[in-house]
Amino acid sequence: MRAWLMPEGCDGFDKIHMADLPDPEPGPGEVLIAPKAWSINYRDFAVASGKYFGGPIEEPAIPLSDGAGEVIAVGEGVNNVAVGDKVQGSFFLDWIDGPQAMGRALGDGKAPGMLAEKVVLPQQGVVKVATSLSYAEAACMPCAGVTAYNALFMGGRPVGKGSGVLVLGSGGVSMIALQLAKAAGAQVIATSSSDEKLERVRALGVDHLVNYKTTPEWGEHIAKNFGGATQVVEVGGVGTLQQSINALAPEGEIALIGVLSDGEPPHPRQLMMTGGSIRGIFVGSVRMAMDLNAMVDDHAIKPPVGATFGFDEATAAYAHAWGPESFGKTVITLD
């Protein structure tokens, strides 16, 4: 089979390369998948650059956590999927349900990666895709989709009618969160530094738009003009956290997800004044993935795929996802 590999000590996505590897076979309790599509997340850049937890990878490894495809064989004892089923991997292979229990994570250089023509996963780490989605759309769900679902619905104040949700930027987590929040009946506020991208966001049904470049104190602006946010999907990190705190409505919650920007640590005073809280998010469980896919089918949600590349064009896909033209999810599909 063909697979993309990160070399030992990989220090950038430009170092990944195509290789021919032996076809894998499923053992007891394992599932053999033929992926048809994959998507790229910010975390994939951290792994490929050697800046993820634990530092550079110690041996060649297949990249990417997110892929969707067809079951082509199952090992003895597998009872949750069958040959021919359309499935996706679970980002965390051992966090099935309940409180956060991370363990093995796809594509980190230690657990399996998905960017190959065949992948073996343990059966508990395989989830049937939303039936309304294409393979390309389903490939957006394991990391970005589950993260957005966790952020919106698994905290102390689940999103619903009357909620005001703030999403930052136009990346995959934010755009899927926008769609999930609208499906739940919430008002949604979105930020970007690009008026062109804000117009694309408008087409997804957002209620309020803010250009954070022309409105640098966007947190106060949102609190004053839109009543604040009961939930913030915070993908920026330290560099945007103070503004997100300033944007909170009384007793609002910030789902802290990203580490995209640096800056001064925020002052907690505003949290004290509003009774707000910050909850750390690291993707989610198999159960969340299943519940997300049910919601996607119920509400005909289609994650925005900004660009698509062929399997042979993986490095170009990485470059696009990293660049300023990216919007929503960047997807790789099998030629």
Side-chain angles (χ1 to χ4, degrees), residues 62-157:
I62 297 171
L64 298 194
S65 62
D66 285 17
E70 181 182 350
V71 176
I72 56 175
V74 298
E76 181 181 355
V78 171
N79 54 22
N80 63 331
V81 294
V83 172
D85 284 347
K86 296 180 178 180
V87 298
Q88 65 196 53
S90 172
F91 183 94
F92 286 117
L93 297 174
D94 306 306
W95 182 8
I96 309 305
D97 199 359
Q100 190 160 307
M102 298 182 295
R104 295 176 295 169
L106 293 175
D108 66 355
K110 299 176 183 177
M114 294 296 291
L115 193 52
E117 291 179 317
K118 296 179 181 179
V119 177
V120 170
L121 297 180
Q123 68 168 332
Q124 76 270 14
V126 177
V127 178
K128 292 181 180 180
V129 303
T131 58
S132 58
L133 298 184
S134 67
Y135 282 123
E137 293 163 341
C140 302
M141 292 299 168
C143 181
V146 173
T147 297
Y149 184 89
N150 188 353
L152 296 179
F153 302 111
M154 302 306 294
R157 190 174 180 175

Side-chain angles (χ1 to χ4, degrees), residues 221-247:
H221 174 83
I222 288 166
K224 180 179 179 181
N225 292 283
F226 308 134
T230 57
Q231 283 90 1
V232 180
V233 181
E234 172 50 85
V235 299
V238 175
T240 54
L241 185 54
Q242 184 65 65
Q243 291 297 323
S244 290
I245 291 173
N246 295 345

Side-chain angles (χ1 to χ4, degrees), residues 3 23 38 84 180 236 241 249 290 318:
D23 288 341
W38 305 260
L180 294 174
L241 185 54
M290 295 170 66
Y318 270 88

